[in-house]
Amino acid sequence: MSTSTSPATAGAATAGAATAVAAIPQTRAFSTVFLIEMWERFGFYGMQVLMVTYMLKRLGFVDIRANLVWGAASALIYATPALGGAIGDKLLGTRRTMRIGAMVLAVGYALLWWPTDAPTFLYIALGVIIVGNGLFKPNAGNLVRKIYEGDETRIDSAFTMYYMAVNIGSMISMTLTPWIRNVIGERYGDSLGWHTAFGVCSIGLLLGLGNYALMQRALKNVGSPPDRRPLDPKKLGFVVLGAAAVVLVAVLILQSIAVARVCVYTAGVVVLAIFTHLIRSSEPRERAGLVAALVLVLQTILFFIFYQQMSTSLNLFAQHNVDLDFRLFGVHLFNWIPEQYQNLNSIWIVVLSPVLVALYNALGRRGRDPQIAVKFAWGFACVALGFFIYSIGARWAHHGQVSSWIMVWGYGLYSLGELLVSGLGLAMIARYVPARMGGFMMGAYYVAVGLSMYLGSVVSNLAHIPDGLTDPVESMNIYTGLFNKLGYMGIACTLIAIGMLPLMKRLSTSHAQGAPLATPLPAVRSEEFDTAV
């Protein structure tokens, strides 16, 4: 028996062996980022799920103020990654900035752990969290992109798994922190219950940092150019001073509704002006893609107004008007804590994501994958129906309380809409925007999303519950009135999206004709909302 091999066979074997060797550190590097992202999302969503009700029940805020404070914080949380990504790329390095961001977040949640209910202390803690999020989020996502750079066959799968990390962390924490709040509060006092729950968020970040310390060698060859150089103390000092300034600005914005309103609306005007300037100054072959991106960004912004209802109006609706007893055919299954209903969004996304991926792949093989604008129209229709579900359920409410299953199905339709609309946000920026404008436009996109989160809080205040109103039948009418308005708004968005289809088709065709002349932007996934579909 001959043991010799042909050159082609030997070459193939060598290539296969090299691929196998390369796959090991690549997988380990991804696992390192995956795990710290999971713990970071554990901390963030564990805090978010409690924040509005904490301001209501511990700080004595009225619902209007609590919603707007969280809306302003959400706007800043979305805006700061535009700065954090630049710091990672140009100043400190992607790896360093991600790790520093995780440390800052741990400090922010630890401040919430401190047993004080002073509003100013809360604003400082939120300011620190805003800075930490801005440093962490863009650089964690950039590391995943760099790990799989040039490996198009694996990057979609990698970001799907990365997206799962987001949902695993959020599902665990949104279930756990309300439960800890209740258990500790019943045994040791209400104040300690709230602050211990926030402290668990800090512990989650510490666990993530500990895991990163053990596995960080897997990332030694991944990062931006500053990662390969010694840390420059002057650049670090510059970033620290800038971070302190951002915290102070955040405190000023959060404690003043008037200042927050001026800043947010000014940011909206600036973003629109930037889009307009870029479209007018672009080359003719780029213009169609930029106009298409602007149309889809505006529709995405409208969606985030709906998205913000989860932590505001839907959360407060669960506090007042939902029967917390899950029953099936009259048999008691379990009880949920009101804040835990926000977890339904993550659960539904985990369930629906693979279904949509399979559906899109099947349609793609037949050449029938619908264009993004069509998916937007379907998404808004699902969101509209989801909000109408709550009003429909109110017809069978008992003493002003709807069944928990109404929340399940309402969140299910809403989550399907989310996957069809917001899941494609950064993907369509990557598709339509020229590479030379890519980073800038993504920063503008995040700022615009932050604006819509604040607008979502403004909209949620249409369901303000007056002081002294305790009758659940009356609060039911107030909340369902808002949900009906949101349902009709969803229908309007659907009709607008349908009406824009011919224009979007022409713009997409025009963009495709000019695309070969331009350098396309690499595919970018939103770890927060994209499902690699």
Side-chain angles (χ1 to χ4, degrees), residues 494-503:
T494 304
L495 295 176
I496 291 171
I498 293 172
M500 296 296 292
L501 288 178
L503 173 62

Side-chain angles (χ1 to χ4, degrees), residues 77-286:
I77 283 167
Y78 273 88
T80 49
L83 298 174
I87 291 170
D89 286 340
K90 306 296 184 183
L91 295 179
L92 301 183
T94 306
R95 292 197 312 271
R96 286 197 193 104
T97 307
M98 181 190 73
R99 188 169 65 251
I100 291 170
M103 293 175 181
V104 173
L105 282 168
V107 171
Y109 299 133
L111 290 175
L112 292 175
W113 197 350
W114 191 260
T116 178
D117 294 324
T120 302
F121 202 82
L122 170 68
Y123 301 145
I124 293 171
L126 286 174
V128 173
I129 291 167
I130 287 163
V131 169
N133 181 81
L135 295 172
F136 182 92
K137 286 301 294 179
N139 292 290
N142 282 337
L143 280 178
V144 176
R145 296 184 190 104
K146 292 176 186 296
I147 290 168
Y148 291 98
E149 194 168 15
D151 190 354
E152 296 299 327
T153 60
R154 300 186 66 189
I155 193 167
D156 276 2
S157 297
F159 269 98
T160 300
M161 291 299 295
Y162 189 65
Y163 177 80
M164 292 298 292
V166 171
N167 284 282
I168 290 170
S170 65
M171 281 193 298
I172 294 172
S173 63
M174 285 196 290
T175 302
L176 186 63
T177 56
W179 178 80
I180 289 174
R181 186 269 320 269
N182 282 6
V183 171
I184 299 298
E186 290 171 0
R187 295 185 180 181
Y188 303 105
D190 187 60
S191 177
L192 191 59
W194 285 99
H195 293 290
T196 302
F198 288 130
V200 169
C201 301
S202 182
I203 292 171
L205 264 296
L206 293 176
L207 291 172
L209 284 165
N211 182 83
Y212 181 83
L214 295 173
M215 300 178 67
Q216 63 180 323
R217 290 187 60 187
L219 292 172
K220 65 179 181 180
N221 296 321
V222 181
S224 57
D227 281 309
R228 302 182 184 95
R229 299 191 293 266
L231 179 63
D232 186 333
K234 291 184 179 179
K235 291 181 179 178
L236 178 61
F238 173 77
V239 171
V240 170
L241 289 175
V246 170
V247 172
L248 292 176
V249 170
V251 171
L252 177 64
I253 291 172
L254 294 176
Q255 69 181 2
S256 172
I257 293 175
V259 172
R261 186 181 298 115
V262 170
C263 291
V264 170
Y265 295 154
T266 301
V269 172
V270 169
V271 169
L272 184 59
I274 289 170
F275 262 101
T276 304
H277 171 71
L278 291 177
I279 291 170
R280 293 179 61 185
S281 62
S282 62
E283 299 177 20
R285 60 185 171 83
E286 299 172 336

Side-chain angles (χ1 to χ4, degrees), residues 22-57:
I24 296 173
Q26 192 178 51
T27 301
R28 184 171 175 80
F30 172 75
S31 299
T32 304
V33 182
F34 176 97
L35 289 170
I36 194 169
E37 171 68 18
M38 184 184 74
W39 283 112
E40 188 276 330
R41 290 291 87 182
F42 173 94
F44 179 80
Y45 282 106
M47 176 273 297
Q48 176 184 281
V49 78
L50 296 175
M51 184 51 64
V52 170
T53 45
Y54 169 71
M55 287 187 277
L56 287 171
K57 295 183 178 181

